[in-house]
Amino acid sequence: MRYGFISDIHSNLEALETVLSKIDALNVDEVICLGDIVGYNANPNECIDIIRKRGIRAVLGNHDTRATGIDEPTDFNPVAAIAVLWARQALNEENRRFLNELPRTIDMDGKFMVIHGWVNNTDSYIMGAYDAAENFRLLKEALGRKLGGLCFFGHTHVRVTYVDAGSEVSANLDNPLELKPEANYLVNPGSVGQPRDGDPRASFAVLDEKDSEITFYRVEYDIESCARKVLEAGLPDVLARRLKAGW
Ligand code: ZN
């Protein structure tokens, strides 16, 4: 099987469509979404419609919980809060219900886990090796085994892999990344709709099970169109500007 991983779409329809057409050209069997379908940009319903129509399995992100009203954006910065409350009023009832029913974790038949933030918390960020080590502990607990653990996460909008080789946890940027059975991995494919590593191109990853390998991709998309819609919707203009700079 070949799996495609998309994360942090954030209502960016142009980026989502471009990434999915690239994924389709890469002979991917199944696409998985790591949360935050909505927030920030101007096409929440259109993005959810695509996820639903294609039957893409997804976990709940922290913007998704604020858009549905599961949580309030009291801990969001003012711009993120304005955008997620805009999404809340824009969502149609069907799509609100769809988000509302998303699980917080997916265990893909013991092959890999899917989360948004931490293994046990949608809102927390895995920001470095120390956080990763704690999540490897939680992952081993959840899987009931010490090795061969593979987990995909999002939330930070920055591509990285953490490798638990037994004695230490380290960050890794290999591309492609070769998976070894004697290690554990936490993999962030980066963000589709709002990359934050200075590269404005949309980011995603593909896992090839047969080759035990993950490849990371970046694709250009129509940023101008997405940015224009942000402004037309009356959302804060910083959200349009940051797309062009990749932060
Ligand atoms: Zn996000």
Side-chain angles (χ1 to χ4, degrees):
M1 284 282 279
R2 280 166 62 78
Y3 294 93
F5 295 89
I6 58 177
S7 190
D8 296 280
I9 297 159
H10 286 300
S11 305
N12 185 333
L13 180 62
E14 287 77 3
L16 177 60
E17 285 180 329
T18 305
V19 162
L20 288 175
S21 70
K22 175 77 178 172
I23 282 179
D24 288 342
L26 290 168
N27 295 316
V28 165
D29 300 293
E30 183 168 358
V31 180
I32 312 272
C33 172
L34 313 178
D36 276 359
I37 302 171
V38 304
Y40 294 125
N41 299 299
N43 286 121
N45 285 307
E46 294 80 355
C47 289
I48 298 172
D49 287 345
I50 290 174
I51 299 292
R52 291 174 56 198
K53 200 160 90 205
R54 293 180 63 125
I56 293 173
R57 292 181 69 180
V59 291
L60 194 60
N62 59 313
H63 285 252
D64 304 324
T65 67
R66 272 72 179 182
T68 63
I70 294 173
D71 294 314
E72 292 302 320
T74 46
D75 57 342
F76 275 28
N77 69 59
V79 168
I82 289 168
V84 86
L85 292 175
W86 180 90
R88 187 185 285 183
Q89 56 79 33
L91 280 183
N92 64 44
E93 183 50 29
E94 264 191 340
N95 285 339
R96 197 196 61 79
R97 205 174 318 127
F98 173 81
L99 285 185
N100 213 29
E101 288 169 1
L102 291 178
R104 286 175 191 263
T105 61
I106 298 173
D107 181 347
M108 277 305 269
D109 310 320
K111 291 178 186 176
F112 55 80
M113 292 268 289
V114 181
I115 59 174
H116 183 65
W118 273 40
V119 171
N120 63 350
N121 188 321
T122 302
D123 284 37
S124 299
Y125 293 86
I126 299 178
M127 292 297 277
Y130 184 84
D131 292 343
E134 189 56 21
N135 277 272
F136 280 123
R137 193 185 63 72
L138 294 164
L139 189 62
K140 287 170 200 173
E141 230 172 65
L143 295 174
R145 60 171 195 260
K146 293 229 168 300
L147 287 170
L150 175 60
C151 179
F152 292 85
F153 71 102
H155 197 29
T156 66
H157 299 208
V158 176
R159 193 265 276 191
V160 69
T161 301
Y162 294 103
V163 185
D164 167 21
S167 54
E168 58 165 17
V169 172
S170 56
N172 179 302
L173 286 174
D174 286 359
N175 188 18
L177 171 79
E178 191 196 326
L179 299 173
K180 301 190 181 84
E182 68 274 16
N184 298 305
Y185 298 89
L186 278 161
V187 181
N188 189 326
S191 168
V192 170
Q194 195 193 74
R196 292 183 188 163
D197 58 357
D199 180 347
R201 294 176 301 167
S203 191
F204 68 96
V206 173
L207 163 67
D208 188 301
E209 272 192 306
K210 185 167 58 66
D211 294 344
S212 290
E213 196 174 86
I214 298 171
T215 307
F216 300 90
Y217 295 88
R218 299 305 284 258
V219 287
E220 281 182 26
Y221 70 95
D222 191 345
I223 295 179
E224 288 299 335
S225 169
C226 181
R228 193 169 54 241
K229 285 193 259 178
V230 164
L231 299 178
E232 283 167 5
L235 289 162
D237 63 347
V238 64
L239 293 174
R241 276 187 278 123
R242 70 184 301 176
L243 288 174
K244 299 173 194 177
W247 61 271

